[in-house]
């Protein structure tokens, strides 16, 4: 492989993110020194800076207002879209610019793009550490059901993180690629993906090494988080029954409940029952055993929902369940036995679960990255438009130019005219959706074609062209043909960011880099200081009697000073206090070493020891 062509394949998940690259031996998920591939998609903001991943997730209980998870649910969305989701998030979701949403952390407002960029930057840095080289190019996966604004938002997040996003790939397409299903002769595959926050099912056809997504269906707000919530609802209603209906849960308790519920859910995938024990404070506690059947009853309705989507996807593809040759399972929630049973029963065949459902999408992104880097020329990838695209026509109807499930890349154009004499400008409202009235569709953006020479009504011929590129991202242009007047227009999604805003965020991310680095430094130093403190404790117990009064006082003072710095935000001050404590403990360290040495030489001649 030529080194300069390395492209990172990234699965940017609701719950977890991870990356893979193509190697001569095939796609390989990247792991850290501990063998860990997954970076929890969780960000914690502290006065000292920002941390990402397992550490941030572990602090979610203690710092609920500043620990951000499930950002993917907010990407490219407006306040109305996320109202139901935001209600269940312990952090603050507030209106942002252009109808977007933002997350408020203290005084700071951050867009979902910036938050996702923080996760992507972490994934990038870990990949760079694993590979020992810089990475600037990436393929990022998104649910097949993501609309234009959500794809754009993902692309912007990549840019903010310093990545040139070469391709946005649908997750099911990636999963099928990971299984190497592009190399089967001819088959029809259903990819069922149930993750933490999103569900989608896609029907793919592979023939002669060519992939085609026949249809996609899904729900961007259905997943394992809902199952956790179902369990939380049981716990809260039962605790209220036990302790009174006015019992309230502070954010930290709500976050703790979420952790307990998820742990119980995961246990129930392998065992018949799970025990939940929650400390509610003030001497109150709640304990309860939940059986697998009870859990299955709780989540049954959601699983039914996913099967209805499977039915719809088949209908769109004009297929019957028995025409599906393979069923591929993706996403952590497909480990739930009930999910596997229902999906297997619906398609009439055992689902394919050979590859770890958490890693399969990243592996496929790695395969796609390999194809783009020119490592494999044998696969052509065709995806489909998830929702129809069109413009608002006279009287507020939706005029569809590109139909749902059209294969990308694709283009379409339509020519129309004016209805008023001497009209010099036309407003164009770009719509996405299946409904007939423009008010029932989502407006992706509006633009004005101005500067048309005055002509009688009906004379101008305005041609609007839609081009959807290989990433499923829409470009719209308009031209008045009679006058040759061409207006170049750039469309910004209604729930997206302008180029300037993205550039500004790239700048901001540099500005925050120092602060973020200090946060890392603080954590590392704190860990180190903890080690020093426990080593001093141990040494005091072992050889404490070697210290004279003055030495002992000096050490006690240094330890007290270090302890008082532990909760501060200043890594330099902490480092200084740690060094001082280390210096004060010097006589102890020397005494310990002498003792070890004495034990080693006991019974042996000195020259044997040297
Ligand atoms: P993903 O978005 O694909 O990373 O999936 C994450 C979701 O899978 C979360 O809701 C997890 O709680 C859930 N999950 C992971 N492992 C299991 C398991 N063994 N049983 C049930 N759910 C799981």
């Amino acid at each position: 492989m030529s080194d300069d062509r390395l492209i990172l394949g990234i699965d940017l998940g609701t719950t977890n993110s991870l990356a893979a690259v193509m190697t001569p031996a095939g796609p390989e998920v990247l792991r850290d020194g501990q063998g860990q591939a997954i970076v929890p998609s969780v960000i914690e903001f502290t006065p000292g800076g920002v941390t990402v991943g397992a550490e941030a997730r572990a602090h979610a209980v203690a710092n609920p207002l500043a620990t951000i998870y499930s950002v993917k649910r907010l990407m490219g969305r407006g306040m109305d879209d996320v109202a139901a989701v935001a209600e269940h998030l312990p952090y603050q979701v507030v209106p942002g610019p252009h109808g977007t949403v933002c997350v408020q952390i203290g005084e700071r407002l951050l867009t979902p793009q910036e938050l996702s960029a923080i996760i992507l930057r972490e994934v990038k840095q870990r990949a760079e550490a694993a590979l020992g080289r810089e990475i600037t190019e990436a393929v990022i996966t998104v649910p097949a059901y993501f609309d234009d604004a959500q794809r754009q938002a993902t692309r912007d997040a990549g840019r903010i993180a310093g990545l040139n996003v070469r391709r946005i790939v649908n997750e099911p397409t990636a999963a099928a690629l990971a299984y190497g299903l592009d190399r089967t002769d001819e088959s029809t595959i259903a990819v069922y993906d149930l993750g933490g926050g999103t569900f989608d099912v896609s029907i793919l056809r592979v023939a002669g090494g060519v992939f085609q997504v026949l249809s996609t269906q899904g729900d961007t707000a259905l997943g394992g988080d809902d199952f956790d919530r179902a369990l939380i609802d049981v716990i809260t209603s039962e605790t209220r029954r036990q302790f009174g209906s006015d019992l309230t849960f502070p954010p930290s308790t709500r976050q703790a409940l979420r952790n307990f519920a998820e742990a119980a859910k995961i246990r129930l995938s392998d065992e018949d029952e799970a025990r939940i024990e929650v400390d509610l404070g003030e001497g109150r506690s709640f304990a309860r055993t939940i059986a697998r059947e009870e859990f299955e009853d709780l989540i049954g309705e959601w699983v039914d929902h996913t099967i209805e989507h499977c039915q719809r996807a088949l209908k769109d593809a004009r297929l019957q369940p028995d025409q599906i040759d393979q069923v591929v399972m993706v996403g952590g929630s497909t480990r739930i036995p009930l999910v596997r049973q229902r999906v297997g029963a619906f398609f009439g065949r055992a689902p394919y679960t050979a590859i770890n459902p958490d890693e399969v999408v990243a592996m496929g992104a790695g395969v796609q990255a390999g194809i783009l880097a020119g490592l494999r020329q044998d696969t052509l990838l065709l995806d489909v438009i998830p929702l129809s695209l069109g413009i608002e026509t006279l009287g507020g109807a939706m005029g569809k130019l590109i139909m749902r499930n059209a294969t990308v890349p694709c283009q379409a154009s339509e020519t129309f005219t004016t209805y008023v004499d001497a009209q010099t400008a036309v407003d164009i409202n770009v719509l996405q959706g299946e409904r007939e009235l423009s008010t029932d569709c989502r407006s992706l953006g509006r633009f004005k074609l101005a500067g048309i020479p005055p002509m009688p009504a009906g004379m101008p011929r305005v041609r609007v062209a839609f081009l959807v590129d290989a990433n499923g991202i829409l470009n719209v242009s308009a031209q008045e043909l009679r006058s040759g007047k061409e207006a170049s227009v750039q469309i910004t999604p209604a729930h997206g960011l302008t180029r300037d805003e993205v550039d500004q965020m790239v700048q901001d991310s540099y500005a925050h880099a120092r602060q973020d680095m200090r946060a890392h430094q603080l954590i590392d130093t704190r860990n180190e200081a903890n080690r020093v403190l426990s080593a001093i404790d141990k040494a005091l117990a072992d050889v404490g009697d070697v210290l004279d009064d003055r030495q002992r006082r000096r050490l006690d003072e240094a330890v007290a000073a270090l302890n008082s710095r532990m909760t501060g935000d200043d890594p330099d001050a902490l480092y200084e206090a740690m060094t001082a404590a280390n210096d004060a403990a010097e006589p102890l360290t020397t005494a310990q070493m002498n003792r070890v040495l004495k034990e080693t030489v006991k019974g042996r001649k000195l020259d044997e020891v040297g």
Side-chain angles (χ1 to χ4, degrees):
M1 183 184 356
S2 131
D3 248 3
D4 53 345
R5 302 179 82 182
L6 189 68
I7 303 173
L8 194 62
I10 302 176
D11 171 6
L12 178 62
T14 310
T15 326
N16 295 311
S17 297
L18 63 160
V21 288
M22 193 64 166
T23 74
E28 199 178 295
V29 165
L30 298 175
R31 294 173 199 282
D32 65 14
Q34 280 77 49
Q36 202 48 255
I38 279 169
V39 182
S41 305
V42 184
I43 308 161
E44 187 198 11
F45 292 84
T46 61
V50 183
T51 44
V52 182
E55 184 124 22
R57 190 177 56 187
H59 293 168
V61 175
N63 193 10
L65 292 172
T67 306
I68 315 303
Y69 60 89
S70 285
V71 177
K72 194 167 167 179
R73 287 187 167 221
L74 308 177
M75 289 284 276
R77 314 242 72 194
M79 216 50 206
D80 293 347
D81 303 319
V82 300
V85 174
E87 197 186 313
H88 292 281
L89 296 172
Y91 54 84
Q92 268 188 296
V93 179
V94 298
H98 320 298
T100 56
V101 297
C102 274
V103 173
Q104 180 157 10
I105 301 130
E107 298 285 289
R108 214 166 147 190
L109 274 187
L110 284 146
T111 61
Q113 288 90 322
E114 288 172 287
L115 292 164
S116 288
I118 294 173
I119 298 166
L120 286 171
R121 208 176 296 124
E122 180 75 21
V123 171
K124 174 178 180 284
Q125 280 164 2
R126 291 188 190 201
E128 286 173 340
L131 296 164
R133 53 160 295 175
E134 198 194 358
I135 291 166
T136 53
E137 313 240 309
V139 164
I140 305 178
T141 59
V142 295
Y145 206 63
F146 255 29
D147 67 19
D148 191 68
Q150 292 165 301
R151 282 165 202 263
Q152 290 273 21
T154 306
R155 178 175 277 268
D156 290 341
R159 253 188 84 213
I160 297 167
L163 289 165
N164 172 22
V165 181
R166 292 282 303 273
R167 188 67 68 90
I168 298 285
V169 186
N170 285 337
E171 288 160 10
T173 306
L177 274 174
Y179 273 104
L181 295 178
D182 50 319
R183 290 174 182 160
T184 56
D185 279 347
E186 183 174 343
S187 68
T188 309
I189 307 150
V191 182
Y192 178 102
D193 181 347
L194 188 59
T198 57
F199 166 71
D200 55 76
V201 56
S202 303
I203 310 296
L204 316 178
R205 175 162 294 146
V206 196
V210 176
F211 249 110
Q212 195 181 4
V213 185
L214 299 180
S215 66
T216 70
Q217 277 286 348
D219 187 337
T220 51
L222 195 168
D225 295 351
D226 295 307
F227 308 158
D228 299 344
R229 261 202 313 272
L231 282 173
I232 293 169
D233 287 347
V234 168
I235 302 169
T236 50
S237 67
E238 288 184 13
T239 45
R240 288 205 170 112
R241 211 174 306 141
Q242 197 175 331
F243 298 108
S245 57
D246 55 347
L247 182 70
T248 53
F249 299 96
S252 61
T253 309
R254 271 168 31 206
Q255 187 56 47
L257 284 178
R258 194 175 163 267
N259 293 350
F260 284 123
E262 186 183 16
K265 172 187 76 174
I266 289 174
R267 212 169 316 133
L268 287 169
S269 286
D270 294 318
E271 282 160 41
D272 293 334
E273 53 181 46
R275 182 136 181 99
I276 299 176
E277 285 174 20
V278 190
D279 180 2
L280 297 165
E282 295 169 23
R284 292 180 299 200
S285 65
F286 173 82
R288 158 92 140 83
T289 297
I290 182 151
R292 188 189 277 179
E293 294 88 70
E294 190 184 354
F295 175 65
E296 290 179 344
D297 281 345
L298 284 175
I299 66 165
E301 212 174 298
W302 278 293
V303 182
D304 288 346
H305 245 46
T306 68
I307 299 296
E308 285 159 21
H309 282 296
C310 293
Q311 262 157 349
R312 258 177 253 145
L314 281 178
K315 191 162 166 257
D316 285 345
R318 296 197 175 80
L319 292 171
Q320 297 298 321
D322 63 0
Q323 289 173 287
I324 298 295
D325 301 311
Q326 276 137 351
V327 181
V328 172
M329 296 295 245
V330 182
S333 300
T334 61
R335 290 202 183 90
I336 297 174
L338 179 75
V339 171
R340 291 188 176 181
Q341 278 158 26
R342 292 265 178 96
V343 174
F346 175 72
F347 288 106
R349 63 194 59 248
Y352 214 169
T353 54
I355 301 182
N356 181 341
D358 297 323
E359 296 183 353
V360 62
V361 169
M363 284 191 42
V367 173
Q368 172 68 72
I371 293 170
L372 285 174
L375 298 176
R376 271 182 55 185
Q377 269 112 14
D378 54 338
T379 302
L380 234 161
L381 275 187
L382 301 174
D383 274 342
V384 296
I385 303 283
L387 294 166
S388 300
L389 298 167
I391 53 171
E392 181 174 344
T393 59
L394 194 72
M398 155 68 151
K400 289 178 186 162
L401 269 82
I402 295 179
M403 302 303 282
R404 172 183 163 69
N405 285 333
T407 320
V408 299
C410 61
Q411 51 190 337
S413 64
E414 193 159 296
T415 306
F416 60 96
T417 188
T418 54
Y419 296 90
V420 181
D421 283 340
Q423 187 175 335
T424 57
V426 187
D427 275 315
I428 294 160
N429 183 12
V430 181
L431 301 171
Q432 180 170 43
E434 302 316 307
R435 306 278 294 276
E436 291 307 315
L437 289 182
S438 61
T439 48
D440 294 328
C441 293
R442 175 191 283 269
S443 174
L444 292 180
R446 293 167 182 273
F447 67 87
K448 195 187 271 281
L449 172 60
I452 301 173
M455 283 182 252
M459 273 289 280
R461 290 180 60 220
V462 179
R463 185 168 163 274
V464 176
F466 277 39
L467 170 70
V468 181
D469 67 17
N471 304 305
I473 289 175
L474 171 68
N475 305 281
V476 183
S477 61
Q479 191 184 15
E480 201 288 303
L481 298 173
R482 213 170 277 283
S483 61
K485 174 87 192 174
E486 201 172 338
S488 91
V489 287
Q490 186 185 31
I491 183 160
T492 302
H495 296 296
L497 301 168
T498 65
R499 254 197 123 61
D500 286 350
E501 283 165 334
V502 174
D503 288 342
Q504 184 58 47
M505 286 169 188
V506 174
Q507 292 301 321
D508 289 351
S509 75
Y510 291 135
H512 286 298
R514 216 184 106 74
Q515 201 185 354
D516 294 354
M517 211 177 68
R518 270 177 86 77
H520 263 274
Q521 208 184 337
L522 182 64
I523 288 164
D524 289 349
T525 315
R526 239 183 235 151
N527 290 340
E528 182 70 28
N530 268 322
R531 273 195 293 277
V532 168
L533 284 169
S534 68
I536 291 175
D537 267 354
K538 189 168 174 298
L540 274 173
D542 275 1
V543 289
D545 49 359
V546 303
L547 296 182
D548 62 30
D549 285 352
R550 193 187 53 83
Q551 286 172 325
R552 179 67 201 226
R553 215 174 316 117
R554 182 176 163 223
L555 179 63
D556 287 346
E557 279 166 15
V559 166
L562 177 55
N563 271 318
S564 76
R565 288 274 182 221
M566 286 297 269
T567 47
D569 305 327
D570 185 349
D572 298 332
L574 181 61
Y575 187 82
E576 224 169 80
M578 181 178 77
T579 314
N582 236 339
D583 290 349
E586 169 100 50
L588 290 179
T589 327
T590 314
Q592 266 181 320
M593 272 164 55
N594 283 343
R595 179 194 280 185
V596 173
L597 196 64
K598 261 188 216 146
E599 276 164 14
T600 317
V601 297
K602 216 182 275 171
R604 291 157 77 196
K605 278 192 274 165
L606 248 181
D607 56 355
E608 277 180 308
V609 183

